[in-house]
Amino acid sequence: MTMQATDIRTTQTASSYAPMFMAASGGDHGIDIEAIREHVQVRRCKHVAGQSIYHAGQPFHAIYLVHAGSYKICELADDGREQVSGFRMRGDLMGVESIGLKAYASDVIALEGSEAWELPYPAVLRACLHVPELHAHLTSALAAEIRCDRSWMLMFGTLAAERRVAAFLLDVAARYARMGYSAKHFILRMSRIDMASFLALKHETVSRALSHLHDMSYIDVQRREVRVLDVNGLRSMAGMSAALN
Amino acid sequence: MTMQATDIRTTQTASSYAPMFMAASGGDHGIDIEAIREHVQVRRCKHVAGQSIYHAGQPFHAIYLVHAGSYKICELADDGREQVSGFRMRGDLMGVESIGLKAYASDVIALEGSEAWELPYPAVLRACLHVPELHAHLTSALAAEIRCDRSWMLMFGTLAAERRVAAFLLDVAARYARMGYSAKHFILRMSRIDMASFLALKHETVSRALSHLHDMSYIDVQRREVRVLDVNGLRSMAGMSAALN
DNA sequence: GAACCGCCGTTACAAACCGTTACAAATCGT
DNA sequence: ACGATTTGTAACGGTTTGTAACGGCGGTTC
């Protein structure tokens, strides 16, 4: 059960921020947040686990930049089916897929104590007029999001269950590495159920796959804590797909 | 598309959802081609079946607008795996996912006698300066492409093989309908193998699913010729309500 | 703190689904 | 007409799922 983001607290904007923000997975583009903040009133929104930033169908008014924690993107069907289409971490943009619509197309739900910066879209457009590079950045971010989804389509369509799990771990590891953390030892921030939804598997299958990767000494896994023991083993299992980075 | 009483979505926004998994299509971009042609030198490119417009890795220089026929978009892994990530028909844009890159990220291959209009990207950017709406169109097109891929993920992640085939048929039918052709009787332009790749199935499974849909009198299918006999049957199988028309 | 509860994660076993393999028929290209 | 390609059908086997049971963990209540 998800909660409505009714108790978002608006705080003063932070003074400093890391210069580089990588987009989810496809991301070789960096959003220049300082340039944005000169023209856009940024609101910092904190969320607890299970709280949603926005739901599909709510009026589209802003895009969001993840500042801390993790969020999951959920696609919904009218008959109740649900699909996690991705996870977002620090530096990732959220909501860009709804640009051009009146309402958001997906749900975004916080996985834990997280914070996202709200960038009202009209203001972003105005900022694009003053900072020409910003528009290129935004377009590149959209294109990168497409490539990200395409990479997962390639993975879903061509890899068996265990290989998908291996590819997922490598992707998570790569993202932690880009953020300056260890790629060999990390904590998964999502439940097995969310992982399973994202990988188009059942959560029991994910558990079995992780256990098997453990048995083969590719990883050391204990609940959400993962230690990568054999990167090349994982890579060969994931089809050497560097496209996911 | 029915909504439950508790559904927060409004009727207006519901119509902006892709009614079916639209990954097969690029959506309705509504590109104003006449506005473009005032500023961009458009080259008309004809292709025979199997011919590629561009391959992954080739320098990115232009985007393409499908004028006639069909194209398939292929994602490639370095170990040879291949995934059809979508089909494009008249009015669809191709190549936008590579904006911001030096090289194209996918292959695009013609399915039959087809024609695409080449729009050199630098010229498109210049045209955006003269025609402000064009930039919004381009951004919307990119966002729409993301939503198409997300619909695919929802479909693939939540529907069993036969249901995916049913959803695919409905999507194709809807596309033909939008182009002014019959939604009840059409010719599939792609092979079973391409269909299977797109649906993350094997071509035998696609054949079996089509035969079964035939046995249930939902469709009449003979090789690539399809007649829809029971739209509501198909819709219920694809996880959609029968209300939509 | 202790007992309780709900959720998450793991494992075992059985069942269902889909992929694999094989082969034949239909269609297409030359 | 001929061979190559595409498509359809079937039997079999493997992968994934369904079901159930169990333990761990965190939060709540008393």
Side-chain angles (χ1 to χ4, degrees):
Chain A
M1 190 54 60
T2 59
M3 289 172 287
Q4 198 67 18
T6 51
D7 58 343
I8 293 175
R9 290 173 291 274
T10 305
T11 62
Q12 217 167 2
T13 52
S15 54
S16 69
Y17 201 91
M20 190 68 147
F21 296 108
M22 306 304 272
S25 64
D28 36 22
H29 68 282
I31 298 291
D32 187 351
I33 188 67
E34 293 306 328
I36 293 178
R37 290 177 61 199
E38 287 175 18
H39 300 89
V40 178
Q41 176 81 2
V42 176
R43 193 166 63 126
R44 301 178 63 159
C45 307
K46 295 182 194 293
H47 303 95
V48 299
Q51 190 179 4
S52 84
I53 300 185
Y54 54 78
H55 284 292
Q58 289 180 341
F60 170 76
H61 68 286
I63 60 178
Y64 295 85
L65 180 66
V66 181
H67 176 255
S70 307
Y71 295 85
K72 62 174 176 181
I73 318 295
C74 300
E75 313 300 318
L76 305 168
D78 31 334
D79 61 353
R81 282 175 295 126
E82 192 176 326
Q83 172 71 27
V84 174
S85 65
F87 301 101
R88 297 294 181 267
M89 297 166 64
R90 179 185 172 94
D92 294 337
L93 280 177
M94 302 185 293
V96 290
E97 77 284 341
S98 302
I99 290 175
L101 295 182
K102 294 250 171 55
Y104 290 104
S106 330
D107 281 18
V108 169
I109 297 173
L111 289 182
E112 56 185 299
S114 301
E115 183 178 325
W117 291 6
E118 183 185 75
L119 312 173
Y121 191 62
V124 170
L125 285 183
R126 281 198 305 275
C128 286
L129 298 178
H130 295 92
V131 189
E133 301 157 353
L134 198 53
H135 218 152
H137 270 150
L138 197 59
T139 308
S140 292
L142 280 154
E145 193 119 342
I146 295 173
R147 296 194 298 273
C148 165
D149 291 343
R150 297 284 169 81
S151 290
W152 281 112
M153 290 169 83
L154 173 61
M155 193 196 63
F156 291 153
T158 58
L159 295 184
E162 205 167 84
R163 293 170 181 266
R164 276 182 230 171
V165 174
F168 178 74
L169 290 179
L170 286 173
D171 187 46
V172 171
R175 293 175 67 171
Y176 275 113
R178 273 201 305 264
M179 289 171 57
Y181 298 118
S182 170
K184 302 269 184 192
H185 179 210
F186 49 84
I187 310 288
L188 294 168
R189 311 210 188 182
M190 72 291 294
S191 71
R192 294 286 189 270
I193 289 179
D194 287 337
M195 262 181 75
S197 171
F198 180 56
L199 297 171
L201 300 169
K202 297 300 167 189
H203 67 95
E204 297 94 331
T205 304
V206 173
S207 271
R208 283 183 285 248
L210 288 171
S211 298
H212 192 220
L213 292 175
H214 184 113
D215 293 345
M216 293 190 297
S217 297
Y218 289 169
I219 61 172
D220 197 348
V221 57
Q222 206 138 7
R223 296 186 69 85
R224 298 198 184 183
E225 184 175 7
V226 175
R227 240 174 260 271
V228 177
L229 305 176
D230 183 353
V231 183
N232 292 334
L234 279 184
R235 285 203 177 121
S236 64
M237 179 155 276
M240 289 287 285
S241 179
L244 299 173
N245 294 331
Chain B
M1 191 176 300
T2 58
M3 288 174 289
Q4 299 168 352
T6 55
D7 200 318
I8 58 169
R9 287 175 253 174
T10 66
T11 303
Q12 179 192 1
T13 54
S15 63
S16 66
Y17 284 90
M20 301 160 189
F21 75 100
M22 300 238 321
S25 73
D28 202 348
H29 299 149
I31 295 292
D32 186 352
I33 188 64
E34 293 308 325
I36 293 178
R37 292 179 68 186
E38 287 176 18
H39 299 90
V40 178
Q41 178 80 3
V42 175
R43 193 167 63 121
R44 301 176 64 151
C45 305
K46 293 183 196 295
H47 302 95
V48 298
Q51 189 180 3
S52 86
I53 300 184
Y54 56 77
H55 285 290
Q58 288 179 342
F60 170 76
H61 68 286
I63 60 178
Y64 294 85
L65 181 67
V66 180
H67 179 255
S70 308
Y71 296 85
K72 61 175 174 178
I73 318 296
C74 300
E75 313 299 319
L76 305 167
D78 33 357
D79 61 353
R81 283 175 295 124
E82 193 177 325
Q83 171 72 27
V84 174
S85 64
F87 301 102
R88 297 291 181 269
M89 297 167 65
R90 179 185 173 90
D92 293 337
L93 280 177
M94 301 186 292
V96 289
E97 76 285 344
S98 302
I99 290 175
L101 295 183
K102 295 254 169 56
Y104 289 105
S106 333
D107 282 16
V108 169
I109 297 173
L111 286 182
E112 57 185 298
S114 302
E115 183 178 326
W117 291 5
E118 184 186 74
L119 312 174
Y121 191 62
V124 170
L125 284 183
R126 280 196 306 274
C128 286
L129 298 177
H130 296 91
V131 188
E133 302 156 352
L134 198 53
H135 220 298
H137 269 152
L138 198 59
T139 307
S140 292
L142 280 155
E145 194 119 342
I146 295 173
R147 295 193 298 272
C148 292
D149 291 343
R150 298 285 168 82
S151 294
W152 185 94
M153 292 169 93
L154 174 60
M155 191 265 313
F156 175 70
T158 58
L159 295 184
E162 204 167 87
R163 290 168 184 266
R164 278 181 229 169
V165 174
F168 178 75
L169 292 178
L170 286 173
D171 185 48
V172 171
R175 300 228 57 208
Y176 277 113
R178 244 177 293 153
M179 289 170 59
Y181 298 117
S182 169
K184 301 269 185 194
H185 179 210
F186 49 84
I187 309 287
L188 295 169
R189 311 211 187 179
M190 72 291 297
S191 70
R192 294 287 189 269
I193 289 180
D194 287 338
M195 261 180 76
S197 171
F198 178 60
L199 297 172
L201 300 169
K202 296 300 167 187
H203 68 94
E204 296 93 334
T205 305
V206 174
S207 276
R208 271 187 302 230
L210 287 173
S211 297
H212 193 218
L213 292 175
H214 183 109
D215 294 345
M216 293 189 297
S217 298
Y218 289 170
I219 61 171
D220 199 347
V221 57
Q222 209 136 8
R223 295 190 69 83
R224 298 197 185 186
E225 184 176 6
V226 176
R227 240 175 258 273
V228 177
L229 305 177
D230 183 353
V231 186
N232 291 337
L234 278 185
R235 283 190 180 139
S236 63
M237 176 153 281
M240 290 176 267
S241 81
L244 192 71
N245 218 357

